[in-house]
Amino acid sequence: MTRVARFILALIVGLALLTWATSGVVQTTAREWFERDVNSRAQLVLIGARQSLADTWNDPENLQRQLAALARDEHVMGAAACGDDLSTRSSTPGFPIEFSCSEVGSRVRGADAAAGNASQGFSEWSTVSTLPAGRVYVSAMPVWSQGQEIGFAILVQDLSYIDRRVSAAQTFLIVVFGILAIMAFGIPLLVAKRARSDWSLELRRMLRGGGKQSREFQPILSDMRELVGRMANERENAPGLWTAVRLKQTLNRHLHGERIVILANREPYIHQHAASGGVEVQHPASGLVTALEPIMRACSGVWIAHGSGNADRETVDRNDHVRVPPGEESYHIRRVWLSEEELQGYYFGFSNEGLWPLCHMAHARPVFRAEDWHQYSIVNQKFADAVCKEVDSKDPIILVQDYHFALAPAMIRKRLPAATVIVFWHIPWPNAEQMGICPWRNEILEGLLGSSILGFHTQLHCNNFLDSVDRYLETRRDQEQNAVVMQGHRTLVRPYPIALEWPVHWVETADSVEDCRAQVWRDFGLKPDALLGIGVDRLDYTKGVEERLLAVELMLERHPEFRGRFSFAQLAAPSRTKIERYRLLNETIEQLAERINQRFGKKDYKPIIMLRTHHEPPEVFRFYRAADLCFVSSLHDGMNLVAKEFVAARTDLKGVLVLSEFTGAARELTEALIVNPYDQEECCEALATALTMPEDEQRDRMRSMRSILVQFNVYRWAGKMLVDAARLRNQERVAGRIAERSSVGAAI
Ligand code: ADQ
């Protein structure tokens, strides 16, 4: 029983007892009062009538009339006149026979004797008696004539009306108590209900941030805020799955629906003139785009990028905006146009012939040209200006992507000092010695230190960056926070290993594994018992494609059982073809593939299937799902998303990943066959092991790697980074307010 029910029951029992006790008292008291009243009335009546009775005592007709006059009162049942010999001289009709003159006379005389009167006369007497019709009050009084007692008169009064009145009074009392009980419960209940609803309305209004905050709510409000904050923090750090919805909710809490601004060289959708006429949309082969596009779809905002497609200008509005993804249109791209000269110096020159080989240990010598550096600076400023135009507050959150924009963070900070700039460096960061060879190393480091947060894939890359700063700049290092403080501005340096969306929508929409396999087998004329390995890359020397093909060649040499059975399909998206080193790579790869095909190929068997063209994601995923193994042999790679995509594609838990130890991915996907791509023997054996691996083992390894991808997905990656940025901005806002107040205080 609830506490309230117990309280109500106790109250009802209490009130019932009180009503019962009160009604008893009321009954007794009322009855006494009424009877006393009847007694006095009887006396008055008899005293008043005594003389007239005496005068008509011997005149029976008049005596009868006198008695009838006495009985006219509605409560008098009858009256009688009795002689001194106790005979009835006269009585009204219907006088109760129970009170005959002889009966009452003995009592009247007896009363006189009992009163100690020695005479045999009559005295006053009264009693209450019960007749079948109800209770009556009987009173008698002597009658004198000329000083002589001549008899007595009897008056019988009806008392039943008293009982009726007493019972009516009792009923009234119970009704009054009932009404009181209802009011006693009802009114407080109504008042409490009203107060509670007013209270909760007021509280809700305040929690939503409206209304005046009354003092009585302060303690509860601060408790609630603390609780809500704690719960939200727990949810953000909870081990549960990060999804697009969770990311959106987290960002809404921290960024209150603000737009996200991304600055990246590559746009996620490129408009190209199709050979058949018209315009087609292309999804570029880029790890950066693969990772960031799901974030934009989830959160919306603007992606600022170089408009590189030959139909890009035709598809933008007058602000150079185009809404994407086609059909979904959840965010927009702002295209920035670059001249040939700018593109040559900034993109092909300094970014890809300077910084790219500088940051990757792939033994390609970086080329640093002053003109390239000049264009790099100009273009960084151009993009920084575009960012400042697109933001809609003075302290926006801006995500700057990759090595193309090392100078932009400081340029943005100069124009928007309160902006929170997150830079994510998608490629490795070299050690301090290597960094030292760049003639503009200081400018690059200072440019990056304009950011609020600088993210890398691994802790090793963070350490390399911090070492470079220590070596070349005058800064202060905050060891505890892993931050660098330069001229009062702090930059946090953190690892945020990049990941894939989960589930990957290309996998969700793909055909079954069996169908993918059947399609690939049909397209390339593979025998039913054939085994297929794949490599998927932009054609870049850091990806170790040469080393990969050499390992396949060695494997076919060492393991003749795979000749005629094993084919390796290399999907190679042409990349940076304007650069000599990339053109050379194209030729080398082509020649190498030809040589292996000549050496081991037959009329109906081609060991290397070279697919040197861009493939749209559905096609790439068809290969992932069809293959027996995927070989990622990067010589140095920030993360490498191909490795993760292959694992994500294998919903059947089959297939083996052979992965270079020099990728960031190798730190997470430890159940892959990890190899040193420079070690041809090791790679050759790993390929053979992969092709003979029992299905049970394949499943165990796949299951374990997939569990990592589910948890550490791109929503978590973005969520962690953006929440860190939002917290940092909050701290800076508070610090700004404190500084403002203390400067006002000092001025006073
Ligand atoms: P990338 O060097 O571009 O990325 P990677 O991470 O492997 O390398 O991503 C390549 C992407 O392009 C994948 O999504 C893949 O499917 C796609 N792709 C590759 N070849 C393709 C082809 N032939 N046709 C079509 N699509 C193809 C940089 C860094 C990486 C880092 C990412 C993300 O160099 O180390 O993992 O950024 O931060």
Side-chain angles (χ1 to χ4, degrees):
M1 199 188 282
T2 65
R3 196 185 297 176
V4 173
R6 275 205 303 272
F7 171 73
I8 289 176
L9 192 70
L11 208 64
I12 288 173
V13 171
L15 268 174
L17 283 173
L18 189 65
T19 310
W20 175 75
T22 315
S23 85
V25 171
V26 164
Q27 190 180 20
T28 319
T29 316
R31 211 168 254 155
E32 270 174 18
W33 285 350
F34 279 123
E35 284 174 9
R36 216 177 293 150
D37 184 39
V38 167
N39 181 28
S40 350
R41 263 179 38 210
Q43 279 192 352
L44 275 175
V45 168
L46 287 174
I47 289 168
R50 205 151 46 181
Q51 192 52 52
S52 47
L53 284 175
D55 293 348
T56 58
W57 199 251
N58 293 319
D59 179 354
E61 219 169 284
N62 272 336
L63 184 60
Q64 175 71 36
R65 217 174 284 132
Q66 286 295 329
L67 289 175
L70 282 183
R72 209 167 288 145
D73 188 306
E74 60 171 323
H75 297 311
V76 176
M77 281 176 78
C82 306
D84 57 356
D85 57 352
L86 307 186
S87 64
T88 306
R89 291 189 73 81
S90 185
S91 68
T92 54
F95 185 82
I97 50 164
E98 288 87 347
F99 306 113
S100 63
C101 289
S102 56
E103 185 69 29
V104 173
S106 63
R107 306 259 181 94
V108 175
R109 272 206 182 111
D112 197 39
N117 198 336
S119 84
Q120 279 300 297
F122 302 114
S123 59
E124 289 176 18
W125 172 84
S126 65
T127 187
V128 173
S129 181
T130 305
L131 295 182
R135 288 184 329 119
V136 290
Y137 187 81
V138 187
S139 48
M141 188 174 275
V143 179
W144 287 282
S145 176
Q146 294 164 1
Q148 279 276 311
E149 204 172 63
I150 55 172
F152 60 92
I154 307 172
L155 197 66
V156 178
Q157 293 183 86
D158 180 14
L159 287 185
S160 65
Y161 81 97
I162 294 177
D163 291 338
R164 279 196 307 276
R165 281 188 187 169
V166 168
S167 102
Q170 269 181 317
T171 313
F172 176 74
L173 197 72
I174 289 168
V175 169
V176 166
F177 268 102
I179 292 171
L180 273 179
I182 290 169
M183 284 165 70
F185 298 134
I187 292 174
L189 272 182
L190 276 177
V191 171
K193 202 170 167 195
R194 182 69 200 271
R196 203 172 52 209
S197 95
D198 284 357
W199 193 85
S200 59
L201 267 176
E202 184 71 5
L203 188 62
R204 287 169 72 182
R205 205 172 27 240
M206 274 192 296
L207 287 175
R208 288 189 188 121
K212 218 176 105 211
Q213 300 206 352
S214 61
R215 277 176 55 199
E216 63 183 296
F217 286 110
Q218 287 305 331
I220 197 164
L221 269 182
S222 58
D223 282 359
M224 283 182 84
R225 283 198 186 113
E226 192 191 315
L227 186 69
V228 168
R230 221 171 38 224
M231 280 164 64
N233 274 345
E234 274 165 17
R235 212 173 45 202
E236 272 153 32
N237 295 320
L241 191 60
W242 273 83
T243 59
V245 175
R246 182 174 168 186
L247 174 67
K248 216 175 202 168
Q249 286 168 349
T250 306
L251 296 188
N252 270 340
R253 193 171 104 72
H254 288 275
L255 304 183
H256 314 291
E258 275 176 59
R259 295 190 317 163
I260 290 185
V261 180
I262 289 184
L263 168 59
N265 172 68
R266 177 76 69 208
E267 51 184 343
Y269 294 92
I270 304 174
H271 289 94
Q272 297 279 21
H273 286 297
S276 54
V279 171
E280 63 183 16
V281 184
Q282 216 183 59
H283 205 77
S286 152
L288 181 153
V289 171
T290 306
L292 285 168
E293 217 261 332
I295 311 292
M296 280 309 255
R297 283 209 314 268
C299 305
S300 93
V302 54
W303 181 309
I304 302 167
H306 167 219
S308 59
N310 57 23
D312 271 359
R313 281 183 196 264
E314 294 159 38
T315 43
V316 293
D317 63 17
R318 60 197 173 88
N319 296 317
D320 296 325
H321 285 165
V322 58
R323 292 202 73 83
V324 287
E328 199 180 308
E329 290 167 6
S330 48
Y331 67 99
H332 61 251
I333 298 177
R334 155 77 200 278
R335 286 175 172 149
V336 175
W337 314 112
L338 297 179
S339 67
E340 269 307 307
E341 198 186 12
E342 284 170 335
L343 195 60
Q344 180 55 48
Y346 139 82
Y347 181 73
F348 293 109
F350 193 72
S351 294
N352 288 315
E353 285 190 277
L355 285 177
W356 180 268
L358 177 74
C359 292
H360 288 92
M361 289 199 296
H363 317 288
R365 180 182 286 194
V367 181
F368 298 115
R369 300 182 197 96
E371 176 52 23
D372 291 349
W373 170 249
H374 177 62
Q375 292 302 340
Y376 185 84
S377 312
I378 289 176
V379 172
N380 266 249
Q381 189 62 62
K382 198 170 191 172
F383 276 96
D385 293 345
V387 168
C388 296
K389 260 195 200 149
E390 289 295 328
V391 298
D392 50 11
S393 74
K394 63 177 181 7
D395 59 355
I397 293 195
I398 301 159
L399 275 83
V400 176
Q401 302 299 311
D402 232 352
Y403 59 99
H404 310 95
F405 298 114
L407 302 180
M411 292 168 170
I412 295 170
R413 172 132 343 266
K414 207 168 165 191
R415 282 186 58 183
L416 295 169
T420 302
V421 181
I422 308 172
V423 172
F424 192 78
W425 196 262
H426 289 256
I427 61 175
W429 189 271
N431 62 36
E433 285 79 20
Q434 170 101 344
M435 188 64 204
I437 67 173
C438 175
W440 300 284
R441 64 189 182 207
N442 290 17
E443 286 86 341
I444 286 172
L445 292 169
E446 283 164 2
L448 287 171
L449 289 178
S451 59
S452 318
I453 297 183
L454 176 55
F456 295 97
H457 290 298
T458 67
Q459 185 62 52
L460 176 71
H461 301 155
C462 294
N463 295 346
N464 283 349
F465 176 82
L466 291 169
D467 288 349
S468 307
V469 170
D470 278 351
R471 178 83 62 96
Y472 304 112
L473 297 183
E474 285 289 324
T475 55
R476 183 167 68 77
R477 176 95 164 261
D478 179 343
Q479 300 279 5
E480 208 175 306
Q481 291 234 22
N482 258 346
V484 179
V485 184
M486 189 180 72
Q487 293 162 9
H489 173 74
R490 176 185 302 266
T491 303
L492 304 183
V493 181
R494 298 271 155 90
Y496 298 101
I498 211 163
L500 298 178
E501 63 177 330
W502 195 275
V504 175
H505 71 283
W506 304 117
V507 178
E508 299 280 285
T509 51
D511 289 332
S512 71
V513 169
E514 293 71 29
D515 286 350
C516 290
R517 208 166 157 90
Q519 285 162 28
V520 171
W521 253 239
R522 195 182 49 234
D523 289 353
F524 297 98
L526 301 178
K527 291 182 201 153
D529 69 339
L531 295 166
L532 179 69
I534 54 161
V536 179
D537 311 81
R538 282 183 306 100
L539 209 39
D540 193 297
Y541 53 87
T542 60
K543 301 292 180 186
V545 183
E546 270 178 274
E547 286 74 4
R548 190 179 309 168
L549 296 184
L550 289 171
V552 170
E553 184 179 31
L554 187 63
M555 202 272 292
L556 291 173
E557 193 182 304
R558 294 274 165 82
H559 297 272
E561 67 274 22
F562 294 121
R563 290 182 207 157
R565 254 192 100 191
F566 177 66
S567 291
F568 190 84
Q570 176 63 51
L571 280 70
S575 181
R576 306 169 193 169
T577 43
K578 285 195 172 169
I579 300 173
E580 180 65 18
R581 180 73 179 82
Y582 286 79
R583 274 204 300 274
L584 267 178
L585 176 72
N586 259 284
E587 285 165 21
T588 319
I589 298 293
E590 200 60 43
Q591 287 163 7
L592 194 54
E594 254 174 50
R595 191 186 80 202
I596 300 170
N597 281 342
Q598 271 174 12
R599 197 170 156 203
F600 297 106
K602 292 188 195 135
K603 206 169 125 245
D604 58 349
Y605 168 62
K606 207 173 176 189
I608 304 292
I609 302 167
M610 184 57 74
L611 302 167
R612 261 195 316 119
T613 175
H614 176 83
H615 293 76
E616 280 301 300
E619 237 178 313
V620 175
F621 276 81
R622 183 161 59 238
F623 276 96
Y624 286 142
R625 282 161 83 76
D628 294 287
L629 69 84
C630 175
F631 190 8
V632 173
S633 54
S634 306
L635 304 181
H636 202 190
D637 217 331
M639 174 55 69
N640 192 284
L641 291 180
V642 168
K644 291 189 171 180
E645 286 173 350
F646 175 66
V647 174
R650 299 318 295 250
T651 46
D652 60 339
L653 304 180
K654 287 198 200 148
V656 182
L657 175 65
V658 182
L659 179 60
S660 158
E661 65 180 286
F662 304 121
T663 60
R667 280 151 218 272
E668 293 174 82
L669 304 178
T670 47
E671 285 77 11
L673 296 179
I674 306 288
V675 294
N676 171 357
Y678 294 95
D679 185 342
Q680 299 226 329
E681 301 281 335
E682 187 186 36
C683 292
C684 149
E685 288 317 309
L687 289 174
T689 305
L691 292 174
T692 51
M693 187 180 284
E695 282 191 5
D696 274 3
E697 190 180 340
Q698 293 182 28
R699 264 197 291 275
D700 286 349
R701 287 172 182 263
M702 264 304 167
R703 199 175 284 122
S704 172
M705 291 191 284
R706 286 172 67 83
S707 71
I708 297 283
L709 298 192
V710 176
Q711 240 185 30
F712 297 91
N713 60 35
V714 81
Y715 302 115
R716 185 180 185 276
W717 173 77
K720 296 271 168 204
M721 208 158 57
L722 287 164
V723 167
D724 282 354
R727 284 204 182 115
L728 192 71
R729 181 171 64 171
N730 224 20
Q731 284 165 11
E732 274 162 11
R733 280 178 180 171
V734 172
R737 263 181 242 138
I738 293 170
E740 226 169 77
R741 252 181 257 141
S742 54
S743 68
V744 170
I748 292 167

